[in-house]
Amino acid sequence: MSKEIRAIKGMNDILPGESDTWQFFEATVRDWAAAYGYHNIRTPIVEETSLFVRSIGEVTDIVEKEMYSFEDSLNGDKLTLRPEGTASCLRAVIQHNLLHQGPQRLWYMGQMYRHERPQKGRYRQFHQVGVEALGFDGPDVDAELLLMTVSLWKRLGLQNLQLQLNSLGTSEERARHREALIAYLAQHQDTLDDDGKRRLYTNPLRVLDSKNPAMQAICDAAPKLVDYLGDASRQHFDTLQQLLTDCGVPFVINPRLVRGLDYYNLTVFEWVTNELGSQGTVCGGGRYDGLVEQLGGKPTAACGFGMGVERLLLLLEAQRITPPVERPDVYLVHQGTNIGSYVMQTAEMLREQGLKVILHGGQASFKSQMKKADASGARFAAIIGENEAISKTVSIKPLLGEGAQQIVEQSQAVSLIKQ
Ligand code: ATP
Ligand code: MG
C-alpha cells in the first residue's frame, strides 16, 4: 500500500458534522452584512508579494515570518498567499476604480494563510470575515462599525466579549511618540527580547505588541501614544467614545493596543475573550486613512475590521451555542423490480414542492432501510413497493411520535406530509 497523504500541518478539513456550524455562521454573517448595507467582494487568494509588503509593513510579524511566498515557476513572479484581506480588497477597489462611484461599504469572507505554530485557535490556513468602509472619515463610521460587531455577537448569541480601544493618532504624532519610545526602550535594552532589540529602531511601536510575558512590565511602563495625541486626534477619539457610551457599548481603553499591521491611524480596537486561552482576540480593526493612497489610489478615509472565524466558532462551542439542526423531511424507502423511475420521480416531485428528501441508495432489506430512515432524523418515511408503483401511490409513515401509516396518491403525498 502506498503512503497515506494527509492535509498540510495547520490546515484543517471542515467535516460534515462541523460544517453545520460553519453554514449557520456564514448565513448569519450574510444577513448581518446586508442589514448594514455592505456588499460582498471576492478577491483571489494569491497576490503579488509586494502588495502585502507595502501595506502590512516590512517590519511586522506577518511580513517578516508568516507569509507563504513563492516564485511562480513559469515566469518567476513573486507571489504570496494572502495573509489578510484588507490589502487585496483595496487593491481591487483601486484597480476597478470603485471609489469613483462614491464611498464603498464592502465585506468578504475567506481563507487566509500565515506560517505560524499551529495551536488551538491559531492555524496556517484560517478564515476571516472582513468589513471595510471606504470614503468615510468618522468617527461616526468607526462607531457604527463597532455597533455592527456588537450586533453580530448578538445574532450569534455570543456573550462576555470585551471591547478594547486605543487611538494611534496621526503619523506626525506617532513620530513624536516614537522618539520618546526609542529613548525609553534603549534605556531598557538588556531586558528586551530578540524581537524587541531588532525592532527597537526599525519599528518600536511593534515592540509594544509583544506577546512575550517577560516583556509585559517594560511595555506597560513605556510612553503612551495617547499622551502624544494632538487636538484633532483627541477630538476624534473622544467623540467615538461618547458615541459608544451613548449607544450603550461598554469598552476599555488599552493604551498598549497597537495592532500587528502598520497601516492603522487614529482608531484601533480588538474584541477579546478570556475563554480561548492565549488566542483570545476574535476581532481586530481600526482606521487606515493612508492605505488607499499608499497602494496607488486617491487619498481616501477608510476604516474596517477582520474577525477570525475559527476563533468565533470555538467560542460558540465554549458557550455551548449550537445551530438549529437541519432535519430531512422524508427518507424514501423502496423495494421491488422495475420501480426505479417511479421512485426517482416521486423523490423529485417532493423536492420540487419544497421538501428535503433522502432517497435510499442501493438495495437493502425493508427493515434495514427503515433503520436508516430512523437514523437520518427524517420526520417521515415514504415507502414505495411494486404495489405503490403500479397504483401511482406512496405509503407515508410518521417517524417521530405517534401516527399510522397511510397510503395516498403520489400527488397527495406533499399535503399529507405538510399537514
Ligand atoms: P494574533 O495577535 O492572535 O496573532 P493578529 O493581530 O495577528 O492576531 P489580525 O491580523 O488582526 O490578527 O487578524 C484578525 C483576526 O484574525 C484575529 O483577531 C484572529 O481572530 C484571526 N487570526 C489571526 N491569525 C490567525 C491564525 N493564525 N489562525 C486563526 N485565526 C487567526
Ligand atoms: Mg498574529
Side-chain angles (χ1 to χ4, degrees), residues 41-168:
I41 182 165
R42 303 176 190 214
T43 59
I45 281 172
V46 185
E47 298 273 1
E48 275 186 35
T49 301
S50 59
L51 172 66
F52 302 115
V53 177
R54 261 164 78 181
S55 54
I56 297 168
E58 208 126 12
V59 193
T60 55
D61 277 349
I62 296 180
V63 171
E64 276 180 340
K65 52 193 183 201
E66 295 174 0
M67 294 208 302
Y68 279 92
S69 298
F70 55 98
E71 251 178 43
D72 185 323
S73 61
L74 298 178
N75 60 13
D77 285 354
K78 291 190 165 48
L79 306 177
T80 294
L81 299 185
R82 63 181 184 197
E84 58 103 48
T86 300
S88 311
C89 179
L90 294 202
R91 197 261 316 130
V93 164
I94 296 165
Q95 180 176 338
H96 302 286
N97 210 7
L98 295 189
L99 287 162
H100 189 64
Q101 302 155 29
Q104 297 286 320
R105 292 180 167 89
L106 303 170
W107 76 276
Y108 52 81
M109 171 153 51
Q111 286 95 330
M112 307 294 159
Y113 299 85
R114 296 186 193 179
H115 202 281
E116 304 197 68
R117 191 171 68 77
Q119 49 198 297
K120 187 180 171 193
R122 191 177 296 284
Y123 311 102
R124 292 181 174 174
Q125 176 186 271
F126 63 101
H127 295 71
Q128 279 185 351
V129 168
V131 168
E132 323 282 359
L134 308 176
F136 306 93
D137 50 20
D140 48 339
V141 172
D142 313 40
E144 195 194 21
L145 284 174
L146 285 165
L147 289 175
M148 194 173 170
T149 53
V150 172
S151 153
L152 184 62
W153 314 149
K154 270 196 206 145
R155 287 163 188 248
L156 292 169
L158 290 173
Q159 291 177 331
N160 303 331
L161 283 158
Q162 186 194 55
L163 173 60
Q164 301 191 350
L165 211 57
N166 194 19
S167 174
L168 298 185

Side-chain angles (χ1 to χ4, degrees), residues 8 18 171 178 351:
I8 310 290
E18 305 159 77
S171 50
R178 183 190 154 105
R351 290 173 184 137

Side-chain angles (χ1 to χ4, degrees), residues 168-182 204-205 225 228:
L168 298 185
T170 64
S171 50
E172 296 76 39
E173 289 151 11
R174 280 198 299 285
R176 286 203 301 124
H177 168 253
R178 183 190 154 105
E179 274 175 41
L181 186 58
I182 291 178
L205 199 58
L225 226 170
Y228 289 77

